[in-house]
Amino acid sequence: MSGSVLGLLIGSVVGRVVVLAGVRLAATEASLDALGYGAVAVPLVVAASYVLTGRPRGGRVGVGRRARGILWCVELAGWVLWRSVVGGLDVARRALWLPRPDIAPEWFAYTTALATPTARGALALVANLMPGSLTARLDGDRLEVHAISPAVDVAGSLDALEGRIARIERVWSARGRDAGVDVGPGLGHP
């Protein structure tokens, strides 16, 4: 392993450890009781992240691309948080506050155009954070999704989420850049 690749790997590991340790400390409010668990959990999660994404490859991501990717990740987190609040209120209204529950569960298939298995997995996992939908299965580029009601625009939400993930994939994934991932609206809805 060359020195530049080793440096890239060490920088990647340190970066992931710092970010995950920071998240862990924030989530546990830096409780001394949780430090022992964090000492075990953080390295395990870092190792799992490399199993899912592979080790970093050579090549540099410019500062502008990296900053854009970080901003898009923050924007994605804010969008998911907002959709979760709005969707949670809608689900509560449907289930509790109407004269009778307004729930008509349905299944549908969603085909994604995301280029990498990691991005498709992220789409399936993050979609579960949006109330009113549940990704039950991911098979290649096809997601099987359960929706609380046909009135909930789950496909539209998945399109918007997919577009956000595609932007991030395009910036940070060599395969995403090379594969010419389309970052326009309506990527996956048939």
Side-chain angles (χ1 to χ4, degrees):
M1 189 179 291
S2 73
S4 65
V5 173
L6 181 61
L8 180 67
L9 183 60
I10 291 171
S12 175
V13 170
V14 169
R16 290 182 191 201
V17 166
V18 168
V19 168
L20 288 170
V23 168
R24 174 94 181 141
L25 286 170
T28 63
E29 297 177 350
S31 168
L32 293 177
D33 296 335
L35 287 179
Y37 296 113
V40 173
V42 168
L44 288 175
V45 172
V46 168
S49 75
Y50 283 108
V51 168
L52 293 171
T53 65
R55 71 178 175 87
R57 288 148 186 80
R60 293 192 155 274
V61 175
V63 173
R65 287 181 75 98
R66 185 179 309 265
R68 229 180 6 250
I70 291 169
L71 287 174
W72 286 340
C73 286
V74 169
E75 188 267 342
L76 172 63
W79 182 83
V80 168
L81 180 63
W82 175 249
R83 294 291 305 147
S84 293
V85 169
V86 170
L89 291 172
D90 181 57
V91 168
R93 180 190 64 82
R94 288 174 187 281
L96 302 173
W97 294 332
L98 294 175
R100 66 186 190 327
D102 182 17
I103 299 172
E106 71 172 356
W107 287 93
F108 69 94
Y110 182 88
T111 303
T112 178
L114 292 170
T116 63
T118 302
R120 291 189 295 266
L123 175 68
L125 291 173
V126 174
N128 290 320
L129 299 175
M130 295 184 294
S133 67
L134 172 70
T135 302
R137 181 176 177 181
L138 173 61
D139 185 14
D141 64 350
R142 182 183 156 107
L143 285 106
E144 292 179 19
V145 182
H146 181 266
I148 193 169
S149 169
V152 176
D153 185 17
V154 175
S157 293
L158 286 171
D159 281 342
L161 175 59
E162 183 176 25
R164 286 167 169 79
I165 292 172
R167 284 191 317 191
I168 296 166
E169 178 183 45
R170 189 175 187 129
V171 169
W172 283 348
S173 167
R175 184 171 172 200
R177 287 191 303 271
D178 297 341
V181 173
D182 180 10
V183 295
L187 287 172
H189 187 56

